Amino acid sequence: MTEIPEHLRKRAEEARAKAAAAAGADAGSTAAVGSSPAEGAGGEAPEGASGTEAESKIPAHLLERSKAAKAKAEGGEPASTEVATAGGAVATATAPAAAAPVATGPGGHTQRLLTVVKSGSIQDVKATPQDKVHVWPHLLVVEFVAALACTAFLLVFSVFVNAPLLELANVNQTPNPSKAPWYFLGLQELLKWYHPMVAGVMLPGMGLVGLILAPYIDRNPSNKPEDRKFAISLMTMFLMYWAVLVMIGTFFRGPGFNFIFPWNVDLFVEL
C-alpha cells in the first residue's frame, strides 16, 4: 500500500479547514439576507458543496489509503470514509485490511541461512568394515564340517582300496627298492644327489631357519594375500620344492633307487 507523504496530508487538512470556514461564512450571510433560492423553497443549502470543491485537489482514494494506514499503525480498526454522492446521500467505505507482508530474500526466496559449516568438520558415523570373524560359531563350524568331510572321504576310500599289513620283515632280505615313508621321500631324494652332510643337515636346516625368520623379515601387518607377496612366494617355493622331491621319489625311482618312467616299467610304490 502506498502512503501519502506528510506534506500532502498537511495541505489536505489546511484546505479542509479553509473550506469549512468558508462554508460557515456563506451559511451565515445567506440566513441574514434571506435571498437564497433554497431557503425560499423551504430547504437548506448543502454544506459539503464548497468543501468538496476544496478537497478536490487531493484524490479521495489517496485520503482513504492514508487513513487506513494510520489506523493499522495504531492497532485500531480499518478507518471508514464517508463520501458524498451526487444525490446527497452519504456512502461509507471501509478500507480492507491488508495482508501481513512476507519477508523475502534476493530472488523472492523465503529460506534463511542459519550457519556455514566447514568441510570435514562433521563426524563420520559410518562403521568401518573389518576383515575379522569370531571363532565361534564361524571358525569352529567350518572346521567341524571339514573334519566330517575328510572322515567321510576316508571311509569311502577304505571300502574300495585294500591296504593290508605286509608280512614280517626279513632281516636277511632287503627289499629293492627300499623307500622311506612318503613324508621322508624328499629327504631320501636329496641323499641321492648330495653328500649326506649337505642333504641331511645343511639344506633342511637352511629351510627351517628361513621359515622361522620369515615373520621377522616380512613385518607387513596385513592379512590380505595381495599385500603379503613376499611371505606367500617364500612358502609357495618351499612347498613346491618339497612336493616335487616327494613325487620323484615315489613314482620315478625303481630298483636300486634308479630313475625310471613308471609307464614303461612298473610302479614301485606300496600304499
Side-chain angles (χ1 to χ4, degrees):
M1 179 181 292
T2 305
E3 297 184 1
I4 301 175
E6 188 68 20
H7 66 282
L8 294 180
R9 187 179 59 80
K10 290 181 179 180
R11 287 183 183 179
E13 293 177 356
E14 292 175 359
R16 191 178 304 166
K18 292 180 180 180
D26 292 342
S29 62
T30 302
V33 175
S35 62
S36 174
E39 183 181 358
E44 295 182 354
E47 297 179 358
S50 60
T52 305
E53 294 177 359
E55 292 178 357
S56 62
K57 295 181 179 180
I58 299 177
H61 68 279
L62 295 180
L63 294 175
E64 293 174 7
R65 289 185 182 180
S66 177
K67 292 179 181 180
K70 287 182 181 180
K72 184 178 179 181
E74 295 174 358
E77 296 296 332
S80 59
T81 305
E82 295 181 356
V83 180
T85 61
V90 178
T92 303
T94 303
V102 180
T104 57
H109 300 288
T110 58
Q111 295 84 359
R112 184 170 57 183
L113 181 63
L114 297 180
T115 184
V116 178
V117 181
K118 293 183 179 180
S119 177
S121 61
I122 301 177
Q123 183 179 4
D124 189 7
V125 295
K126 294 182 180 179
T128 303
Q130 297 182 356
D131 192 12
K132 295 181 181 180
V133 294
H134 295 286
V135 175
W136 173 260
H138 302 85
L139 179 62
L140 293 182
V141 169
V142 174
E143 290 182 349
F144 181 71
V145 172
L148 290 179
C150 291
T151 303
F153 173 75
L154 291 176
L155 181 62
V156 174
F157 187 78
S158 63
V159 172
F160 295 98
V161 178
N162 187 19
L165 295 176
L166 299 178
E167 63 275 3
L168 294 178
N170 186 0
V171 295
N172 296 322
Q173 183 180 0
T174 301
N176 188 19
S178 181
K179 295 184 179 181
W182 68 269
Y183 43 85
F184 281 141
L185 278 180
L187 182 59
Q188 188 174 2
E189 184 66 23
L190 289 177
L191 289 173
K192 179 67 178 178
W193 295 98
Y194 302 105
H195 188 273
M197 183 65 184
V198 176
V201 179
M202 292 184 61
L203 293 180
M206 292 172 59
L208 293 177
V209 172
L211 292 178
I212 293 173
L213 296 179
Y216 300 96
I217 297 175
D218 183 16
R219 304 181 64 87
N220 193 341
S222 177
N223 55 2
K224 297 180 179 180
E226 58 269 16
D227 297 335
R228 304 298 302 274
K229 296 180 180 180
F230 174 77
I232 293 178
S233 301
L234 182 63
M235 191 64 187
T236 302
M237 289 189 297
F238 172 77
L239 291 178
M240 293 299 297
Y241 178 71
W242 200 254
V244 169
L245 291 178
V246 171
M247 292 176 64
I248 292 176
T250 303
F251 300 104
F252 295 91
R253 291 297 179 183
F257 213 74
N258 297 319
F259 188 85
I260 62 171
F261 291 104
W263 51 84
N264 292 335
V265 183
D266 198 0
L267 184 62
F268 293 91
V269 59
E270 294 178 355
L271 297 177

